[in-house]
PDB file of all heavy atoms in Angstrom:
ATOM      1  N   ILE A 311     -90.779-337.083-204.458  1.00  0.00           N
ATOM      2  CA  ILE A 311     -90.283-335.734-204.130  1.00  0.00           C
ATOM      3  C   ILE A 311     -88.765-335.853-203.892  1.00  0.00           C
ATOM      4  O   ILE A 311     -88.306-335.894-202.738  1.00  0.00           O
ATOM      5  CB  ILE A 311     -91.003-335.146-202.915  1.00  0.00           C
ATOM      6  CG1 ILE A 311     -92.522-335.170-203.127  1.00  0.00           C
ATOM      7  CG2 ILE A 311     -90.553-333.711-202.643  1.00  0.00           C
ATOM      8  CD1 ILE A 311     -93.333-334.652-201.965  1.00  0.00           C
ATOM      9  N   PRO A 312     -87.987-335.926-204.946  1.00  0.00           N
ATOM     10  CA  PRO A 312     -86.544-336.184-204.791  1.00  0.00           C
ATOM     11  C   PRO A 312     -85.777-334.997-204.235  1.00  0.00           C
ATOM     12  O   PRO A 312     -84.723-335.201-203.606  1.00  0.00           O
ATOM     13  CB  PRO A 312     -86.086-336.534-206.204  1.00  0.00           C
ATOM     14  CG  PRO A 312     -87.068-335.826-207.095  1.00  0.00           C
ATOM     15  CD  PRO A 312     -88.372-335.897-206.363  1.00  0.00           C
ATOM     16  N   MET A 313     -86.250-333.767-204.474  1.00  0.00           N
ATOM     17  CA  MET A 313     -85.536-332.603-203.935  1.00  0.00           C
ATOM     18  C   MET A 313     -85.884-332.450-202.464  1.00  0.00           C
ATOM     19  O   MET A 313     -86.854-331.813-202.068  1.00  0.00           O
ATOM     20  CB  MET A 313     -85.930-331.328-204.723  1.00  0.00           C
ATOM     21  CG  MET A 313     -85.272-330.049-204.220  1.00  0.00           C
ATOM     22  SD  MET A 313     -83.469-330.090-204.183  1.00  0.00           S
ATOM     23  CE  MET A 313     -83.052-329.790-205.884  1.00  0.00           C
ATOM     24  N   PHE A 314     -85.075-333.089-201.626  1.00  0.00           N
ATOM     25  CA  PHE A 314     -85.352-333.156-200.188  1.00  0.00           C
ATOM     26  C   PHE A 314     -84.107-332.870-199.401  1.00  0.00           C
ATOM     27  O   PHE A 314     -83.008-333.261-199.769  1.00  0.00           O
ATOM     28  CB  PHE A 314     -85.887-334.558-199.824  1.00  0.00           C
ATOM     29  CG  PHE A 314     -86.140-334.728-198.332  1.00  0.00           C
ATOM     30  CD1 PHE A 314     -87.371-334.372-197.802  1.00  0.00           C
ATOM     31  CD2 PHE A 314     -85.131-335.190-197.496  1.00  0.00           C
ATOM     32  CE1 PHE A 314     -87.564-334.502-196.419  1.00  0.00           C
ATOM     33  CE2 PHE A 314     -85.338-335.318-196.129  1.00  0.00           C
ATOM     34  CZ  PHE A 314     -86.567-334.964-195.605  1.00  0.00           C
ATOM     35  N   GLY A 315     -84.294-332.213-198.259  1.00  0.00           N
ATOM     36  CA  GLY A 315     -83.222-332.007-197.286  1.00  0.00           C
ATOM     37  C   GLY A 315     -83.810-331.630-195.963  1.00  0.00           C
ATOM     38  O   GLY A 315     -85.018-331.491-195.825  1.00  0.00           O
ATOM     39  N   VAL A 316     -82.960-331.475-194.966  1.00  0.00           N
ATOM     40  CA  VAL A 316     -83.421-331.121-193.633  1.00  0.00           C
ATOM     41  C   VAL A 316     -82.666-329.907-193.134  1.00  0.00           C
ATOM     42  O   VAL A 316     -81.708-329.462-193.767  1.00  0.00           O
ATOM     43  CB  VAL A 316     -83.224-332.314-192.646  1.00  0.00           C
ATOM     44  CG1 VAL A 316     -84.055-333.504-193.074  1.00  0.00           C
ATOM     45  CG2 VAL A 316     -81.750-332.676-192.525  1.00  0.00           C
ATOM     46  N   ASP A 317     -83.100-329.397-191.990  1.00  0.00           N
ATOM     47  CA  ASP A 317     -82.379-328.267-191.367  1.00  0.00           C
ATOM     48  C   ASP A 317     -81.084-328.835-190.767  1.00  0.00           C
ATOM     49  O   ASP A 317     -81.058-329.377-189.656  1.00  0.00           O
ATOM     50  CB  ASP A 317     -83.246-327.619-190.286  1.00  0.00           C
ATOM     51  CG  ASP A 317     -84.385-326.822-190.871  1.00  0.00           C
ATOM     52  OD1 ASP A 317     -84.330-326.504-192.080  1.00  0.00           O
ATOM     53  OD2 ASP A 317     -85.326-326.489-190.129  1.00  0.00           O
ATOM     54  N   THR A 318     -80.021-328.709-191.523  1.00  0.00           N
ATOM     55  CA  THR A 318     -78.732-329.252-191.148  1.00  0.00           C
ATOM     56  C   THR A 318     -78.197-328.598-189.891  1.00  0.00           C
ATOM     57  O   THR A 318     -78.291-327.385-189.729  1.00  0.00           O
ATOM     58  CB  THR A 318     -77.751-329.097-192.312  1.00  0.00           C
ATOM     59  OG1 THR A 318     -78.281-329.775-193.449  1.00  0.00           O
ATOM     60  CG2 THR A 318     -76.395-329.673-191.964  1.00  0.00           C
ATOM     61  N   CYS A 319     -77.665-329.401-188.995  1.00  0.00           N
ATOM     62  CA  CYS A 319     -77.198-329.043-187.655  1.00  0.00           C
ATOM     63  C   CYS A 319     -78.357-328.901-186.684  1.00  0.00           C
ATOM     64  O   CYS A 319     -78.136-328.703-185.493  1.00  0.00           O
ATOM     65  CB  CYS A 319     -76.333-327.780-187.644  1.00  0.00           C
ATOM     66  SG  CYS A 319     -74.834-327.937-188.621  1.00  0.00           S
ATOM     67  N   GLY A 320     -79.575-329.021-187.162  1.00  0.00           N
ATOM     68  CA  GLY A 320     -80.767-328.975-186.318  1.00  0.00           C
ATOM     69  C   GLY A 320     -81.407-327.639-186.242  1.00  0.00           C
ATOM     70  O   GLY A 320     -80.747-326.594-186.325  1.00  0.00           O
ATOM     71  N   PHE A 321     -82.745-327.622-186.075  1.00  0.00           N
ATOM     72  CA  PHE A 321     -83.500-326.356-185.966  1.00  0.00           C
ATOM     73  C   PHE A 321     -83.731-325.983-184.512  1.00  0.00           C
ATOM     74  O   PHE A 321     -83.162-325.018-184.000  1.00  0.00           O
ATOM     75  CB  PHE A 321     -84.821-326.503-186.700  1.00  0.00           C
ATOM     76  CG  PHE A 321     -85.684-325.266-186.631  1.00  0.00           C
ATOM     77  CD1 PHE A 321     -85.385-324.158-187.405  1.00  0.00           C
ATOM     78  CD2 PHE A 321     -86.796-325.216-185.789  1.00  0.00           C
ATOM     79  CE1 PHE A 321     -86.149-322.996-187.328  1.00  0.00           C
ATOM     80  CE2 PHE A 321     -87.567-324.071-185.716  1.00  0.00           C
ATOM     81  CZ  PHE A 321     -87.257-322.951-186.488  1.00  0.00           C
ATOM     82  N   ASN A 322     -84.551-326.747-183.781  1.00  0.00           N
ATOM     83  CA  ASN A 322     -84.830-326.403-182.387  1.00  0.00           C
ATOM     84  C   ASN A 322     -83.635-326.757-181.515  1.00  0.00           C
ATOM     85  O   ASN A 322     -82.966-327.761-181.718  1.00  0.00           O
ATOM     86  CB  ASN A 322     -86.074-327.176-181.894  1.00  0.00           C
ATOM     87  CG  ASN A 322     -87.359-326.572-182.451  1.00  0.00           C
ATOM     88  OD1 ASN A 322     -87.576-325.353-182.405  1.00  0.00           O
ATOM     89  ND2 ASN A 322     -88.210-327.425-183.007  1.00  0.00           N
ATOM     90  N   GLY A 323     -83.408-325.913-180.490  1.00  0.00           N
ATOM     91  CA  GLY A 323     -82.273-326.115-179.598  1.00  0.00           C
ATOM     92  C   GLY A 323     -80.974-325.562-180.194  1.00  0.00           C
ATOM     93  O   GLY A 323     -80.948-324.986-181.290  1.00  0.00           O
ATOM     94  N   ASN A 324     -79.898-325.696-179.428  1.00  0.00           N
ATOM     95  CA  ASN A 324     -78.583-325.263-179.869  1.00  0.00           C
ATOM     96  C   ASN A 324     -77.802-326.446-180.401  1.00  0.00           C
ATOM     97  O   ASN A 324     -77.866-327.543-179.869  1.00  0.00           O
ATOM     98  CB  ASN A 324     -77.816-324.642-178.697  1.00  0.00           C
ATOM     99  CG  ASN A 324     -78.474-323.403-178.144  1.00  0.00           C
ATOM    100  OD1 ASN A 324     -78.757-322.469-178.886  1.00  0.00           O
ATOM    101  ND2 ASN A 324     -78.728-323.391-176.842  1.00  0.00           N
ATOM    102  N   SER A 325     -77.061-326.204-181.471  1.00  0.00           N
ATOM    103  CA  SER A 325     -76.181-327.232-181.997  1.00  0.00           C
ATOM    104  C   SER A 325     -74.827-327.156-181.283  1.00  0.00           C
ATOM    105  O   SER A 325     -74.615-326.326-180.394  1.00  0.00           O
ATOM    106  CB  SER A 325     -76.003-327.080-183.498  1.00  0.00           C
ATOM    107  OG  SER A 325     -75.467-328.252-184.069  1.00  0.00           O
TER     108      SER A 325
END
Side-chain angles (χ1 to χ4, degrees):
I311 306 178
M313 179 57 79
F314 177 88
V316 298
D317 288 343
T318 301
C319 299
F321 179 76
N322 286 311
N324 297 306
S325 195

